[in-house]
Amino acid sequence: MQASSGTRTKTRNKLKKSVRARGLSPITKGFQTFEAGEKVNIIIDPSIHKGMPFSRFHGLTGVVVGERGAAYEVSVKDGNKTKMVVARPEHLVRNVDN
């Protein structure tokens, strides 16, 4: 039987919440705003499926380039390439090491 190859394959541990953080996240995370040039960490919230970036970018730091609808375009270094990740604000955390 052929293995499934969806967007959340091999993410059992990566997209798992801790016991005390289970359930829906506070709605204020969706109201966050970011300016262009601001550094953000991509931390995927598995309880919110909409606007979720690909699991490879979980934990990476990037720079907000612009907006795309309700989401933000984040420039991330992936190896030697620079990639553009489109993610909603629920999956972004302001970087404190600015």
Side-chain angles (χ1 to χ4, degrees):
M1 183 175 184
Q2 188 174 8
S4 62
S5 57
T7 56
R8 291 178 70 148
T9 53
K10 299 180 181 178
T11 61
R12 180 184 291 264
N13 290 318
K14 188 180 281 193
L15 297 182
K16 183 166 48 175
K17 282 189 165 189
S18 67
V19 175
R20 287 166 194 83
R22 288 190 63 173
L24 287 175
S25 300
I27 61 168
T28 53
K29 286 188 79 174
F31 298 135
Q32 297 181 99
T33 57
F34 301 99
E35 300 295 323
E38 197 171 348
K39 278 191 169 184
V40 292
N41 296 330
I42 300 173
I43 306 296
I44 297 174
D45 186 355
S47 66
I48 301 169
H49 302 169
K50 197 169 188 175
M52 183 185 288
F54 189 69
S55 61
R56 160 181 278 168
F57 303 109
H58 178 75
L60 296 183
T61 302
V63 179
V64 174
V65 178
E67 295 182 43
R68 186 181 292 192
Y72 290 95
E73 296 174 333
V74 181
S75 177
V76 175
K77 191 93 164 149
D78 185 26
N80 288 331
K81 289 185 179 177
T82 303
K83 296 191 176 178
M84 190 70 63
V85 178
V86 179
R88 287 174 68 104
E90 295 91 341
H91 307 288
L92 301 176
V93 178
R94 197 166 267 107
N95 191 356
V96 291
D97 296 341
N98 283 341

